[in-house]
Amino acid sequence: MWEYLYEWAIHSFVGKEMSVTTAKVDEKGRIIIPRKIRKTAKLKKGSYITIKTKGNTIIIEPLEPVADKYYGAFKIDKWPENIDEFTVEVIKQWWKTQPT
């Protein structure tokens, strides 16, 4: 009965369906997010999340990839062969313009 009331309270508070599950914290403080929840939140390997606390409540939210946010905002005629080297060079050039 308490689980039902808990789900109802969460559903009413957020205003949309929620998935509730139980996970175990291992000796290093890690948890495994169940597949159903990862799929619903569109989390995949390498995804970033934010973790917040409010009292003893933990809130985990997925971060939107920057590439998705700005998709189509810039036209790239030719991608650099090595994006890491390109990024380092751009940052070096930018630093040269900054006051010291």
Side-chain angles (χ1 to χ4, degrees):
M1 175 160 169
W2 289 110
E3 289 178 8
Y4 173 77
L5 289 173
Y6 173 75
E7 271 189 66
W8 175 83
I10 295 294
H11 177 76
S12 299
F13 179 77
V14 174
K16 57 183 173 181
E17 257 186 72
M18 287 193 71
S19 185
V20 178
T21 190
T22 302
K24 185 177 181 180
V25 179
D26 74 6
E27 67 277 354
K28 293 186 178 182
R30 299 174 296 200
I31 62 167
I32 295 176
I33 301 171
R35 178 181 290 136
K36 182 180 176 184
I37 293 176
R38 291 192 317 262
K39 188 175 179 180
T40 301
K42 298 179 183 163
L43 289 175
K44 56 187 175 203
K45 182 179 178 180
S47 294
Y48 285 91
I49 59 172
T50 59
I51 303 172
K52 306 174 202 174
T53 59
K54 186 173 185 179
N56 66 346
T57 302
I58 300 170
I59 302 163
I60 301 173
E61 296 175 325
L63 285 175
E64 179 184 6
V66 174
D68 290 350
K69 186 176 180 179
Y70 294 105
Y71 178 76
F74 304 98
K75 184 175 188 285
I76 309 294
D77 291 327
K78 182 180 175 189
W79 284 98
E81 286 184 30
N82 185 323
I83 195 75
D84 293 330
E85 289 176 9
F86 174 78
T87 305
V88 168
E89 189 57 38
V90 168
I91 291 170
K92 283 181 184 177
Q93 294 298 322
W94 178 80
W95 270 110
K96 287 180 184 178
T97 65
Q98 300 305 306
T100 54

